[in-house]
Amino acid sequence: MSLFQLLRSEFKAIFTNPVVALTVFGGVIFYSFLYPLPYINQTPTEQEITVVNLDKSQASYQLERMVDATPQVNIVARSGSIEEAKEHLLNGDVSGIFVIPEHFYRDLMLEKSPTLAFAGDASYFLVYGTIVEGLAHAGGTLAGKVNVVRLLSEGVPMSMAEQQYAAFHVNMKPTFNPEIGYLNYVVPAVFVLILQQTLIMRLA
């Protein structure tokens, strides 16, 4: 038997066997649509958190509004204590806890660095990272505003105060995952797994 006849015989056996054809070709097409569906939105947004505001000052409420305004985070509850917030997290009502400490406003006025605490469910790393990103962005924005006000009170012009409130500026340019999302991160590896599974099932 020549090589051409052997190849023709093998292809005929593959295409005329409905089980093999469905597994090899139908499986690839089916999985190609099935696997990307959970990641179609690319990045998680509006993650639900609860806030524990132990300071209850105007500045702390302003920080709450800034956190809630970020696309990454959505404040759905306000807890009176850390223990109450922990119960919300353990029950699955929220994905994270944001704690504003006591004397938050006082420390800002004294040019100290108050510590903002966060606890969250890190089972899904991108979800956890999204919440941290939103909180960090809101906290950094408020800190920048406070620094600008302080510089203006010292007689620094607005144009210079806006440039000097931060020691450095970050310009992030993702290279291999421009959307910083699930789809480009997960699906290429999943397709390799699909091919491997279908080939193994074909051999079996």
Side-chain angles (χ1 to χ4, degrees):
M1 181 180 290
S2 65
L3 178 61
F4 175 76
Q5 291 175 329
L6 179 62
L7 290 175
R8 186 177 64 179
S9 176
E10 288 296 324
F11 278 115
K12 182 179 179 181
I14 291 175
F15 286 104
T16 56
N17 189 323
V19 176
V20 173
L22 179 62
T23 302
V24 175
F25 301 105
V28 171
I29 297 173
F30 177 72
Y31 284 131
S32 297
F33 288 100
L34 177 65
Y35 272 99
L37 282 179
Y39 315 106
I40 198 67
N41 292 324
Q42 287 280 10
T43 54
T45 57
E46 296 295 325
Q47 298 303 303
E48 297 181 345
I49 68 169
T50 181
V51 174
V52 182
N53 191 340
L54 301 177
D55 188 55
K56 294 182 174 59
S57 63
Q58 183 178 356
S60 65
Y61 288 124
Q62 182 182 5
L63 178 58
E64 282 191 32
R65 291 191 295 271
M66 293 173 68
V67 166
D68 198 33
T70 62
Q72 295 92 349
V73 178
N74 179 27
I75 297 177
V76 296
R78 288 173 173 80
S79 305
S81 65
I82 296 178
E83 289 73 19
E84 180 184 347
K86 184 179 178 180
E87 288 295 324
H88 285 296
L89 180 62
L90 294 177
N91 292 335
D93 300 328
V94 295
S95 299
I97 303 170
F98 181 46
V99 181
I100 302 176
E102 290 184 281
H103 311 304
F104 172 74
Y105 178 71
R106 185 195 67 182
D107 290 344
L108 284 178
M109 293 298 100
L110 294 176
E111 298 184 17
K112 295 181 180 180
S113 298
T115 301
L116 299 173
F118 166 73
D121 181 5
S123 301
Y124 298 95
F125 182 73
L126 284 182
V127 172
Y128 180 84
T130 297
I131 297 176
V132 173
E133 180 186 359
L135 297 178
H137 184 267
T141 302
L142 179 61
K145 179 180 178 180
V146 171
N147 287 334
V148 168
V149 171
R150 179 177 57 81
L151 291 172
L152 290 176
S153 65
E154 295 174 357
V156 178
M158 173 63 78
S159 58
M160 295 183 62
E162 291 178 346
Q163 298 176 358
Q164 295 178 9
Y165 82 90
F168 58 88
H169 298 277
V170 178
N171 184 16
M172 298 180 62
K173 294 182 179 180
T175 303
F176 300 105
N177 189 358
E179 290 83 12
I180 318 180
Y182 276 116
L183 203 59
N184 296 334
Y185 172 70
V186 174
V187 172
V190 168
F191 279 146
V192 175
L193 179 62
I194 293 172
L195 291 175
Q196 181 190 37
Q197 288 177 338
T198 52
L199 288 175
I200 291 175
M201 288 187 289
R202 169 66 183 90
L203 292 174

